[in-house]
Amino acid sequence: MECRRINLIDRSGGKYEIRMCQPHDLAPLMDMYALFLPRPASQGLPPEDHEVCTEWARGLLAIGENIAAWTDERLIGHAALIPDLQGRSAEFVIFVHQDFRNLGIGTELAGATLERAKTLGFRSVWLTVSVTNFVAIRLYLKLDFQYCDMDDCERTMIIKLGG
Ligand SMILES: CC(C)(COP(=O)(O)OP(=O)(O)OC[C@H]1O[C@@H](n2cnc3c(N)ncnc32)[C@H](O)[C@@H]1OP(=O)(O)O)[C@@H](O)C(=O)NCCC(=O)NCCS
């Protein structure tokens, strides 16, 4: 089933939509990551070096399930599910362009991605996040991710999806 949310309005009144990102969307994806700040923003991602960043994005498009937020044809947010080898669980990453943060777009994009994970039959989705990334942690807790591991620098969080 296609994952698409249209006619969305962010907290500043801006229109956007959420839809799947296809392998041919590398160009709009890199248009966002080329200007992304800070870079890296979290745990080395997105990579600072342009070539490394392009390969990372290309890899995500090849092996992951990719969902993006768009204003017209501009990509302003990107989330990916990276499946484990058995296809039961997936790692989650999310990035919203700095000009569009704190507008509710990350919450909507993450929600759409978890819905997609359920549709694909994943039993759980997990992530790691820096202990000081308070915005991301707030977002994950709001979506019902639970802490499952923690060290001085990083938390691992998981959400069970059933199935
Ligand atoms: C994390 C990220 C994806 C969130 O996207 P976003 O579109 O800004 O998220 P939202 O606007 O939906 O929600 C942000 C929440 O954090 C809250 N927030 C903002 N500043 C905060 C702070 N300093 N401390 C705690 N919460 C904060 C906002 O109030 C909002 O919560 P609310 O909706 O309950 O009011 C985005 O900030 C980002 O791309 N960061 C850089 C990359 C990153 O860290 N990715 C995550 C790790 S992979």
Side-chain angles (χ1 to χ4, degrees):
M1 194 173 61
E2 242 314 309
C3 143
R4 189 161 193 192
R5 296 182 182 186
I6 58 171
N7 298 326
L8 299 169
I9 307 285
D10 69 33
R11 272 187 210 138
S12 72
K15 287 188 188 159
Y16 71 104
E17 73 171 53
I18 286 175
R19 62 175 196 265
M20 303 284 298
C21 212
Q22 307 298 341
H24 60 256
D25 287 324
L26 182 63
L29 195 57
M30 283 312 299
D31 285 345
M32 179 180 89
Y33 283 125
L35 301 174
F36 199 89
L37 289 175
R39 205 164 58 144
S42 172
Q43 299 158 297
L45 299 175
E48 192 172 6
D49 179 83
H50 185 75
E51 292 305 311
V52 177
C53 189
T54 305
E55 281 319 301
W56 168 74
R58 201 193 302 278
L60 285 179
L61 289 175
I63 63 163
E65 192 70 14
N66 294 269
I67 295 174
W70 305 76
T71 54
D72 298 320
E73 290 311 304
R74 180 179 175 193
L75 192 153
I76 56 168
H78 170 224
L81 294 163
I82 304 135
D84 67 9
L85 288 177
Q86 291 76 33
R88 292 189 189 133
S89 182
E91 183 178 358
F92 174 70
V93 292
I94 183 166
F95 299 90
V96 172
H97 185 281
Q98 60 275 12
D99 293 348
F100 298 89
R101 288 181 196 150
N102 281 319
L103 298 176
I105 295 172
T107 304
E108 192 74 29
L109 182 56
T113 308
L114 289 180
E115 211 174 275
R116 180 72 183 153
K118 266 190 210 165
T119 303
L120 292 172
F122 289 114
R123 294 181 192 168
S124 62
V125 170
W126 63 276
L127 59 88
T128 58
V129 59
S130 157
V131 291
T132 57
N133 195 343
F134 304 114
V135 179
I137 290 172
R138 178 174 174 88
L139 173 66
Y140 303 146
L141 288 173
K142 234 177 15 175
L143 291 161
D144 287 336
F145 277 88
Q146 314 277 325
Y147 297 122
C148 63
D149 200 6
M150 179 175 177
D151 63 25
D152 289 347
C153 306
E154 223 174 64
R155 291 172 190 268
T156 304
M157 300 178 79
I158 190 163
I159 184 166
K160 307 258 189 222
L161 302 173

